[in-house]
Amino acid sequence: MAFSSIFKILILISISCLILEMVDGYYLPGSFPNRYYVGDHLSVKVNSLTSIDTEIPYGYYTLPFCKPPEGIKDSAENLGELLMGDRIENSPYRFNMYKNESEIFLCETNPLSSNEFKMLKKRIDEIYQVNLNLDNLPAIRYMEKDGFFLRWTGFPVGIKAKDSYYVFNHLKFTVLVHRYEHNNVAGVIGTADGAELITPTNETTTGEGYVVVGFEVVPCSVNHVENEKTLNNVKPYGKYPSQIKCDPVSVGMRVKEGKSVIYTYEVSFVMSDIKWVSRWDTYLKMEGAKVHWFSILNSLMVITFLAGIVLVIFLRTIRRDLAHYEELDKEAQAQMNEELSGWKLVVSDVFRSPNNPELLCIMVADGCRILAMAIALIFFAALGFMSPASRGTLITGMLVFYVLLGVLAGYIAVWLWRALSLGERRGWFSVSWRVACYFPGLSFLILSLINSLLWGSESTGAIPFTTFLILILLWFGISVPLTLTGGFLATKAPYLEYPVRTNQIPREIPAQRFPSWILVLGAGTLPFGTLFIELFFIMSSIWLGRVYYVFGFLFVVLILLVTVCAEVSLVVTYMHLCVEDWRWWWKSFFASGSVAFYIFLYSINYLVFDLKSLSGPVSAMLYLGYSLFMVIAVMLATGAVGFLTSFFFVHRLFSSVKID
């Protein structure tokens, strides 16, 4: 019977995974296509310069690039974009729909100063990438190397060859377009970038229009020195006086101090069979997809099967102990209590209040809040509401869910506090206030330290002061009141009463052969086994600039992680009770929460072996700071799952024992 239930669970998980992944065919409920007619203006935008070598973003115009004639203007940004370090600005590149142009002179910079020359060389050494966007699509670059077809978003600032530095000063753009179809937007509801949105205001306009479905770039380094004198009469966006040969495998524009750099570009439009709803498929294809899917499914099945077997054996053992204990009469029970050891002997101590009960309530409540936020966020992301086409929506959604779930955190903290204090209502305000400040305070401290490093580096990744004020306003203006409201509601709700009385004198705990914390720490290996493969792809997405969009599998992995954490903590708690150790409270929390320890070790391993090119102490401190933030959140969430499972299990277990 138990094995059939496990089999049904596996089938349900597989079906859920397939359903969530099928949503990708209609994954953009938050945007709709911009319709362009022949000759319409297309605006190219620039994002921050990024590098996997430093992980510190910088503004595009911090380097001596051409600036737009109308001046630099920031595009509309949401809170998530600012926190991610994105800085979207207008660019000097101008396109007209379905109008091919070549040899376009963009500008000639001023002679490079000593600082500009040093900065340009430094950015080339640090492998910084230029990121362009057209119609909300990042520019993508293709390259064939060693028989493999590679693709990147963006292109490098330049390249170093034979102790000389060369800049990519000529860009060959290819814009893929598809005929506008009304079926593309049927039922699609949402918002797009208002600055780019072009809608036909006159229904009598001739032509059916086009939508942009691809944006490709080939960077070239072209030597324009021989034509410098003839460029005096050429205005920006004019025709370059000679033919430009774009060869991506050769370099020509050498960077020299005191010399200017000439920038040019060309653009061609190509009709494509790609439909608008599928234009992001190129970006969402992950490397090693078959290995990824197979490994995830294999881990899910193996871990679920092992956890199910442990649970079945465990429940049968409990039931046998209870049945044997209740069949005895009172004299036999007393005699058995004198002769045998086990969980039955700690009946008068099992609900003795733990050390630092208020801190335990706070950590459990914050963990429930983080877990609920993660479930809601990943669920909506799997349905397509957190599309990569809408930059920053994932971080914005995370903040919104976390703030609103303050009610849940306050309620759980005060409810658990009342259970530990035997129904006492006094102190609920203090518990609620500390819950509202505990994890946000730790996050604020870590982010402030990281931000100070980014400020010192003059990076766009530094959170602006006004954004800090917005975060503080969200914290104290919305999150804190909601948390206090949840705590107040918990004072009116019934609390969980203990089924047995606690003796005034605590029972002596027998000496153990091995420290109990070894078992607690080792218990985290099983939950870690459920997510370490998915963790690799998440880390690669964060630190190597790869797009992560397999949220369907991530949602299933999260559910499995919660299940395994609950089972592991339950088993560890039962083992401690069997050796007459009634101090199970904190151990049940860290039995599942110890998975964070292994995640931190994995983060260090990833830093050493996968981020070998990461240079500088600032970059390493940024990486470790963000990893510490992630580890604390995982510890609280998984620890809360383990503790609440053990708490309800112990309550149920000792409610089944007959006590005089």
Side-chain angles (χ1 to χ4, degrees), residues 35-55:
R35 183 177 183 178
Y36 301 100
Y37 293 96
V38 175
D40 281 343
H41 173 68
L42 302 179
S43 58
V44 179
K45 297 184 178 181
V46 294
N47 202 342
S48 301
L49 303 173
T50 57
S51 170
I52 62 174
D53 191 60
T54 65
E55 301 295 347

Side-chain angles (χ1 to χ4, degrees), residues 27 135 137 212-213 274-283:
Y27 61 82
D135 195 48
L137 277 180
V212 177
V213 296
I274 301 174
K275 294 187 177 182
W276 184 86
V277 294
S278 304
R279 67 178 190 163
W280 274 90
D281 289 356
T282 301
Y283 302 87

Side-chain angles (χ1 to χ4, degrees), residues 214-412:
F215 184 36
E216 301 174 3
V217 62
V218 178
C220 299
S221 180
V222 180
N223 188 4
H224 294 311
V225 176
E226 63 273 8
N227 294 314
E228 281 190 39
K229 295 181 180 180
T230 61
L231 290 175
N232 294 331
N233 298 326
V234 180
K235 296 181 179 180
Y237 307 106
K239 188 75 172 180
Y240 191 76
S242 63
Q243 185 179 5
I244 300 175
K245 183 180 179 181
C246 181
D247 185 5
V249 298
S250 63
V251 291
M253 190 62 214
R254 185 177 178 182
V255 180
K256 296 180 181 179
E257 183 177 349
K259 295 292 184 179
S260 60
V261 180
I262 299 172
Y263 288 91
T264 56
Y265 71 95
E266 60 183 284
V267 57
S268 60
F269 290 81
V270 177
M271 184 64 67
S272 173
D273 294 331
I274 301 174
K275 294 187 177 182
W276 184 86
V277 294
S278 304
R279 67 178 190 163
W280 274 90
D281 289 356
T282 301
Y283 302 87
L284 303 182
K285 291 178 181 178
M286 302 185 66
E287 302 296 336
K290 293 183 179 180
V291 177
H292 170 79
W293 286 63
F294 176 78
S295 300
I296 293 298
L297 285 175
N298 183 66
S299 297
L300 289 173
M301 296 179 66
V302 172
I303 297 300
T304 304
F305 179 76
L306 292 177
I309 295 297
V310 172
L311 182 61
V312 169
I313 296 175
F314 179 63
L315 290 179
R316 288 183 176 178
T317 303
I318 294 270
R319 289 176 180 174
R320 184 174 63 249
D321 284 352
L322 283 175
H324 179 64
Y325 188 77
E326 292 178 356
E327 287 175 359
L328 302 176
D329 54 24
K330 294 181 180 179
E331 294 182 0
Q333 287 182 9
Q335 182 179 0
M336 187 183 70
N337 288 342
E338 294 178 359
E339 296 177 353
L340 300 178
S341 62
W343 58 269
K344 299 172 287 296
L345 299 182
V346 296
V347 65
S348 299
D349 296 272
V350 70
F351 291 108
R352 191 176 301 281
S353 182
N355 298 327
N356 300 316
E358 187 173 356
L359 178 61
L360 180 62
C361 296
I362 293 170
M363 295 178 69
V364 170
D366 257 328
C368 292
R369 185 184 195 178
I370 295 171
L371 179 64
M373 175 203 70
I375 292 175
L377 186 70
I378 297 174
F379 177 76
F380 282 104
L383 293 179
F385 288 93
M386 306 292 178
S387 164
S390 303
R391 291 179 300 271
T393 53
L394 199 65
I395 302 297
T396 304
M398 184 184 303
L399 285 174
V400 170
F401 283 128
Y402 185 81
V403 168
L404 296 180
L405 287 170
V407 175
L408 177 67
Y411 186 92
I412 292 177

